[in-house]
Amino acid sequence: SQRFAQFKLVLLGESAVGKSSVVHRFVKNTFDNMRESTIGAAFLTQSVTLPEINATVKFEIWDTAGQERYKSLAPMYYRNAHAALCVYDITNSSSFQKAQNWIKELKKQASEGIVICLVGNKADLEDERQVDANAVTAYVEELSGEGIQVFTEECSAKSGEGVLEIFTNVAKALPVE
Ligand code: GTP
Ligand code: MG
């Protein structure tokens, strides 16, 4: 029989890492080189299918604003979230540090069992890479040892590479009945 489940997903991360671009690639399959910085937060929905288990998973997506002045709003969006994408830009090491800070905050404040994906965006800019993929893997392994359900993926909202995989893998990690 056909199964259906609905989950709340939040995107967190420094301004300009490409959170909105990843969401728009996933929801509308478009990319904008001149995307405007998000004000407050944006809400979008999109579904993925998991043919292996004959399921459709619908995401209610909260795309938060990364600018510092909106930081206090974040708990409103990650509270009750079933999944979080903590996004950094592979060409910006401080954005990776910020993504780690979000994971720490989620670990303390978010729902138990939240599925977290640490997302390295702008993978098309390999020549400008500042964040070493092995260091990311090591960090994620460390977290798994602490009992946090985290995995990591790289993607490019610009080319589209890896974007659908992120949402599909999050869906697979969630409890679809
Ligand atoms: P805030 O809303 O301020 O938190 O930023 P954001 O994280 O939503 O970033 P946004 O999606 O607005 O993207 C910021 C800039 O990065 C835009 O100019 C995008 O065109 C660009 N960008 C986003 N994703 C990619 C990518 O995968 N590759 C490249 N080369 N540029 C990207
Ligand atoms: Mg945005």
Side-chain angles (χ1 to χ4, degrees), residues 15-16 18-21 31-33 37-38 66 121-122 124 157-158:
S15 182
K19 297 178 297 298
S20 300
S21 299
F31 178 76
D32 182 351
N33 262 312
S37 190
T38 304
N121 185 41
K122 307 198 186 182
D124 56 288
K158 186 170 186 172

Side-chain angles (χ1 to χ4, degrees), residues 5-12 22-23 26 46-50 52-53 55-62 81-87 106 113-120 149-155 162-177:
Q6 198 162 308
F7 296 105
K8 188 174 156 189
L9 179 148
V10 64
L11 287 96
L12 299 164
V22 167
V23 171
F26 173 54
Q46 178 63 298
S47 299
V48 296
T49 54
L50 302 177
E52 308 83 6
I53 60 165
T56 299
V57 172
K58 181 178 175 187
F59 287 111
E60 299 181 319
I61 303 167
W62 284 103
H82 302 96
L85 306 187
C86 296
V87 185
L106 290 174
I114 188 169
V115 172
I116 302 170
C117 184
L118 176 59
V119 175
Q149 207 180 347
V150 186
F151 63 101
T152 186
E153 306 258 1
E154 287 192 357
C155 72
V163 173
L164 182 58
E165 286 82 351
I166 289 166
F167 289 89
T168 304
N169 287 335
V170 168
K172 284 179 181 167
L174 286 165
V176 181
E177 275 149 39

Side-chain angles (χ1 to χ4, degrees), residues 72-140:
S72 63
L73 299 179
M76 237 163 51
Y77 300 106
Y78 68 65
R79 199 165 292 145
N80 305 321
H82 302 96
L85 306 187
C86 296
V87 185
Y88 65 93
D89 168 353
I90 70 153
T91 73
N92 177 342
S93 41
S94 79
S95 75
F96 177 51
Q97 189 54 55
K98 282 250 171 76
Q100 288 175 275
N101 292 344
W102 279 119
I103 291 176
K104 276 197 206 106
E105 182 165 337
L106 290 174
K107 186 182 153 189
K108 279 192 234 145
Q109 316 274 6
S111 306
E112 214 177 308
I114 188 169
V115 172
I116 302 170
C117 184
L118 176 59
V119 175
N121 185 41
K122 307 198 186 182
D124 56 288
L125 301 177
E126 182 60 37
D127 294 348
E128 297 168 43
R129 180 186 286 274
Q130 279 186 6
V131 180
D132 175 38
N134 293 321
V136 178
T137 309
Y139 169 67
V140 166

